[in-house]
């Protein structure tokens, strides 16, 4: 019986590791595609309108990742691991971006941070509150 518990715990930590890696990958994609515009290069030409779709991606994915991580442990540091990894990745690459560009410079960044952090924090509080 104790062997089954060890396997389950190992699976839980592997699941947590996968969630943290997914959060890091999402942070990379969200930050690099944040400056998308409808300018005819990647998206259709609609007058170079800014289109921060990655903020919507963060809004949908971060609460899910945090809720799934909260199933691994009741501890705040463990349950919020995807959120912490996402924030560290955004901060590190936003300040020291590719070719030393400062990526955290306009309203889209604030939108990305708000759409990623606030729903994830609410999901984290809800998941930890339900467990107590």
């Amino acid at each position: 019986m104790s062997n089954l518990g060890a396997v389950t715990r190992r699976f839980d930590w592997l699941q947590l590791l996968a969630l943290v890696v997914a959060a890091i990958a999402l942070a990379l994609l969200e930050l690099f595609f944040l400056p998308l515009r409808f300018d005819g290069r990647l998206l259709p030409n609609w007058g170079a309108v800014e289109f921060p779709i990655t903020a919507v991606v963060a809004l949908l994915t971060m609460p899910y990742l945090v809720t799934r991580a909260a199933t691994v442990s009741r501890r705040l540091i463990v349950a919020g691991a995807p959120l912490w990894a996402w924030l560290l990745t955004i901060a590190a690459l936003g300040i020291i971006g590719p070719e030393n560009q400062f990526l955290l410079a306009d309203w889209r960044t604030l939108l990305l941070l708000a759409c990623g952090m606030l729903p994830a924090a609410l999901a984290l509080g809800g998941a930890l509150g339900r467990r107590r």
Side-chain angles (χ1 to χ4, degrees):
M1 200 49 112
S2 65
N3 192 16
L4 181 63
V7 171
T8 304
R9 270 185 259 130
R10 193 172 313 134
F11 173 74
D12 288 344
W13 289 105
L14 286 175
Q15 178 185 4
L16 181 66
L17 179 65
L19 291 169
V20 168
V21 169
I24 291 170
L26 282 168
L28 289 171
L29 290 173
E30 290 162 359
L31 193 60
F32 289 144
F33 286 108
L34 189 61
L36 274 181
R37 296 176 180 268
F38 284 108
D39 59 359
R41 290 185 187 159
L42 186 59
L43 298 173
N45 188 1
W46 291 348
V49 176
E50 296 173 347
F51 187 62
I53 188 64
T54 58
V56 177
V57 172
L59 179 77
L60 298 174
T61 57
M62 286 309 297
Y64 175 74
L65 292 175
V66 169
T67 304
R68 294 294 300 158
T71 63
V72 174
S73 174
R74 292 181 185 174
R75 295 180 59 202
L76 179 66
I77 194 78
V78 175
L83 177 60
W84 316 138
W86 185 83
L87 279 172
L88 285 174
T89 305
I90 293 286
L93 286 176
I95 294 171
I96 310 166
E99 299 176 5
N100 293 327
Q101 293 178 352
F102 187 68
L103 297 177
L104 303 178
D106 63 355
W107 64 272
R108 292 171 294 184
T109 304
L110 292 175
L111 182 66
L112 176 65
L113 288 172
C115 287
M117 286 186 338
L118 294 176
L122 288 172
L124 180 60
L128 292 178
R130 279 191 297 273
R131 291 202 137 194
R132 290 184 186 222

